[in-house]
Structure formats: structure tokens, C-alpha cells
Amino acid sequence: TVLVSAGGTREPLDAVRFLGNRSSGRMGAALADEARRRGAEVTLVAANLSVPAPVGVDVVSAPTAEELARETLSRGDADIVLMAAAIADYRPAEPAADKRPKDGNDWTVTLEPTTDVLRELGGRRENGQVLVGFAAETGDNGLERAREKLRAKQVDLIVFNDVSRDDIGFDAPDNEVVLVSAEGERRLGKAAKERIAAAILDVVAERLPKPLEGE
Ligand code: CTP
């Protein structure tokens, strides 16, 4: 069983507005599709995908960080969990129930932290589960921050990508990533997200517990 989260959450400011991000969900959709192709039973927890969900996977809609946390954590016993979603770290503390009228004044919004789903999953992991996080970083020491995330969130693999570039990462068909694990790092050259997904699943498959003789 494989659980994939994908897309970008939208956090309501009022009845019609939200805080969001540029994630399209392509990387997560490619992972879900490739896992299904390899014979897994796949659930895709989808936050506002701008690409079609792959055929043959179970799709659960989770547009906000709160819904994504609930739908993911309730399925946290999957053999493989791939957290490709760009989840808001903060959300408006008091979203207005109605549309806020324009009154010419400043609009001050207080943001409160959301649940860190990956960290929760890392803390409560069952033996043998392979847990993968993504690190979308900008700037020079992004790779160092990705290594730190691997340790802090207790995951098997962090897929690091530099989202300051326009040609890869957020809302682009291609990606160029570094797979960071405790054992070492592997740089994958720029390729279609489908190829990157296959390479990620190759590494994940190596980390799955081997079935016992006769099973
Ligand atoms: N993530 C999560 N829950 C959140 C935010 C992020 O599970 N509330 C997951 C993402 O799905 C991704 C990983 O954590 O797999 C990295 O997310 P990112 O926002 O880059 O990292 P953070 O730990 O939030 O670090 P930073 O302080 O750099 O934002």
C-alpha cells in the first residue's frame, strides 16, 4: 500500500480568498501513477491538483492543511508514504465567514502554525514503513537544510529540489533533485517528473523490508 500526498494547500482568508502556493501536484501524481504501475494499491491525498489524477488510484480530496493532515494521518499505516504535497506551514488564524468588504483600511492577518504531517508520521512510524519527504528550498544552503530535515523529521529519504529555478520544480514538467538519505546522496539529472518518480521508487523499493522465505 502506497500513500501519496500531492498538490498545494489553500488556506481560507475569507469566504472567497485563500493563501496558497504554486505547487501543481505533478510530482505527486507521477509518483502515484508509477507506484500503481508497479502493482501497489495507491491512495492519493490531493490538495487542489492542477493536473488530472492518475487512473486506477484512490483519490481523496484535501484542500486545506487541516484536511490534508486528517486524511493522511488516518492512513499513516501504509507501507510507503510519499509526502510530495506543498502544505502551508501557517494558516490565517481567524478566517472571515463572509467575503471581507473593501473599506480602504489595512487588512492585518494573523497566521498560526499548522500540523507538520511529515514530522508526526516520522515520530509514530511502524517498523518497516518507508517514509519520504520533499524539501523545496531556495538559496545557497538548501541542500544542508534538506539534510537537517532528514534528521529532524526522522524520515528515510528527502527529495531536495531548488524551487528558485523556473525550469524545474514548482509547476514545471521537469525536475532535478538530490535524493538525501542517511547513507548518502544521489543527484538525478534534469528529467521529466515521470522519470524522477521512477528513480525515487527504485530507491524506496531497495529500502522495503525483504519478505521472509515462503511469504
Ligand atoms: N510538510 C508536512 N506538513 C507541513 C508542512 C510540510 O508534512 N505542515 C512536509 C511536506 O509535504 C514535505 C516536507 O514536509 O514533504 C518539507 O516541507 P517544507 O515546507 O519544505 O519544510 P519545513 O519542514 O516546513 O521547513 P521550512 O522551515 O524550511 O519551511
Side-chain angles (χ1 to χ4, degrees), residues 5 83-85 87-89 114-118 133-137 145 149 153:
S5 72
M83 290 295 293
I87 305 165
D89 290 324
T114 58
T115 303
D116 189 326
V117 183
L118 187 61
F134 280 69
E137 307 280 2
R145 283 205 300 277
K149 238 165 246 184
K153 299 197 184 187

Side-chain angles (χ1 to χ4, degrees), residues 2 38 79-80 82 128 130-132 156-157 179 186 197-211:
V2 174
R38 295 181 185 204
D79 299 312
I80 298 170
L82 307 162
V130 181
L131 180 59
V132 178
D156 294 293
L157 191 68
L179 306 185
R186 214 167 109 204
I200 291 169
L201 287 179
D202 286 345
V203 172
V204 166
E206 284 165 19
R207 304 186 74 99
L208 280 173
K210 302 279 173 285

Side-chain angles (χ1 to χ4, degrees), residues 118-119 132-162 177-182 184-187:
L118 187 61
R119 187 182 290 266
V132 178
F134 280 69
E137 307 280 2
T138 59
D140 289 339
N141 48 0
L143 190 55
E144 189 41 53
R145 283 205 300 277
R147 291 182 191 122
E148 178 48 33
K149 238 165 246 184
L150 179 84
R151 284 187 291 272
K153 299 197 184 187
Q154 302 180 70
V155 302
D156 294 293
L157 191 68
I158 288 281
V159 181
F160 162 70
N161 70 314
D162 182 351
V177 304
V178 183
L179 306 185
V180 181
S181 74
E185 283 159 26
R186 214 167 109 204
R187 189 172 290 270

